C-alpha cells in the first residue's frame, strides 16, 4: 500500500521533529520520510554533533557543562536549519535525541509549520536492535545494569515528553511500514 502524499496538509512544507530513544529507528524512518516528502531535507542530530571536530564534549551519565552547552547548540542548529528549509518551501525532517520538555522547547524554536513524531517501540525491541547493530549507543549508561536497563532509563525520559504530536509504537513495523503509518496519520503529527 502506498499512501498518497500529493494532497492535503502533507504537501505544505513542515519542520518535522522525530524523536525516540537511541536505536528506535529515528534515522532510518526520518530519511525514508524525507524521501517521500518531496522536496525535503534530512537533518540528523548526530551530524550536527560531529561538526564539532576539536574540543567536542560528549554526553554521559554526568555531563559536563561543555557537553550540555554543545547539546543545546546542536538543538538550536537543528531548529535553524529546519526553519531555513521550510522558509524556502522545502520540508525539513530533523531527527534527534530530545526528551521531556526539551521537545516543546525545540518546537518553540520554530516559527514555521511544525510536526512531531515520537517513535516508541518496546524497550525489549530497542535492546534487541541495539545488540544486533552493536554501536555501543548505551555504553555510557550501562553501569552495573544491562542494555535493557539502559534502554528503560531512556524510555522513562521519553515518557516525560508532553503528549503532543504523533506517537508511534513501531515494535512490529518495518521502517517502511512506520513511514506509511506516519503519512496516513499526518494530521495528528502537526502541532499548533
Amino acid at each position: 500500500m502506498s499512501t498518497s502524499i500529493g494532497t492535503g496538509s502533507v504537501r505544505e512544507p513542515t519542520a518535522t521533529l522525530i524523536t525516540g530513544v537511541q536505536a528506535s529507528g529515528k534515522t532510518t524512518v526520518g530519511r525514508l520520510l524525507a524521501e517521500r516528502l518531496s522536496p525535503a531535507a534530512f537533518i540528523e542530530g548526530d551530524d550536527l554533533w560531529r561538526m564539532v571536530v576539536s574540543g567536542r564534549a560528549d554526553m554521559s551519565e554526568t555531563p559536563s557543562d561543555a557537553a550540555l552547552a554543545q547539546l543545546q547548540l546542536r538543538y538550536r542548529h537543528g531548529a535553524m536549519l529546519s526553519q531555513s528549509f521550510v522558509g524556502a518551501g522545502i520540508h525539513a525532517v530533523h531527527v534527534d535525541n530530545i526528551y521531556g520538555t526539551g521537545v516543546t522547547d525545540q518546537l518553540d524554536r520554530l516559527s514555521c509549520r511544525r510536526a512531531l513524531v515520537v517513535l516508541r517501540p518496546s524497550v525489549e525491541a530497542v535492546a534487541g536492535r541495539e545488540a544486533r547493530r552493536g554501536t555501543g549507543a548505551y555504553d555510557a549508561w550501562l553501569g552495573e545494569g544491562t542494555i535493557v536497563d539502559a534502554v528503560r532509563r531512556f524510555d522513562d525520559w521519553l515518557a516525560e515528553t508532553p503528549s503532543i504530536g504523533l506517537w508511534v509504537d513501531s515494535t512490529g513495523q518495518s521502517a517502511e511500514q512506520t513511514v506509511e503509518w506516519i503519512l496516513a496519520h499526518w494530521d495528528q503529527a502537526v502541532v499548533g
Side-chain angles (χ1 to χ4, degrees):
M1 173 188 145
S2 180
T3 304
S4 172
I5 60 168
T7 61
S9 67
V10 174
R11 280 186 67 189
E12 188 176 342
T14 305
T16 302
L17 174 62
I18 299 180
T19 190
V21 302
Q22 299 176 118
S24 63
K26 294 182 303 295
T27 300
T28 304
V29 167
R31 186 172 297 282
L32 288 171
L33 180 63
E35 289 171 0
R36 296 284 303 273
L37 300 173
S38 181
F42 176 69
I43 304 161
E44 186 174 0
D46 285 349
D47 288 341
L48 299 173
W49 166 70
R50 283 189 285 271
M51 286 181 165
V52 178
V53 296
S54 176
R56 181 172 58 223
D58 295 338
M59 289 298 292
S60 66
E61 181 73 33
T62 54
S64 66
D65 289 343
L68 293 170
Q70 289 179 20
L71 181 67
Q72 288 304 311
L73 182 65
R74 164 182 164 167
Y75 293 164
R76 284 195 311 275
H77 285 159
M80 287 169 38
L81 281 169
S82 295
Q83 184 86 25
S84 178
F85 280 117
V86 171
I90 299 170
H91 283 277
V93 178
H94 175 205
V95 300
D96 214 329
N97 302 317
I98 306 175
Y99 313 116
T101 58
V103 169
T104 51
D105 292 345
Q106 186 70 6
L107 293 171
D108 287 347
R109 289 183 174 108
L110 300 166
S111 60
C112 59
R113 188 166 191 260
R114 309 164 297 164
L116 172 65
V117 175
V118 180
L119 298 181
R120 197 171 184 203
S122 72
V123 168
E124 294 74 19
V126 172
R129 181 164 191 247
E130 175 56 24
R132 286 188 299 280
R133 70 182 197 166
T135 63
Y138 288 94
D139 287 355
W141 289 271
L142 283 176
E144 299 296 319
T146 67
I147 186 73
V148 171
D149 296 328
V151 173
R152 187 167 287 117
R153 173 181 282 159
F154 274 73
D155 188 66
D156 288 346
W157 293 332
L158 185 63
E160 295 173 6
T161 303
S163 296
I164 58 173
L166 180 63
W167 289 62
V168 183
D169 178 353
S170 55
T171 301
Q173 298 175 333
S174 68
E176 293 81 6
Q177 290 169 327
T178 300
V179 170
E180 290 292 336
W181 203 88
I182 291 166
L183 291 171
H185 297 86
W186 183 255
D187 289 340
Q188 294 172 34
V190 176
V191 294

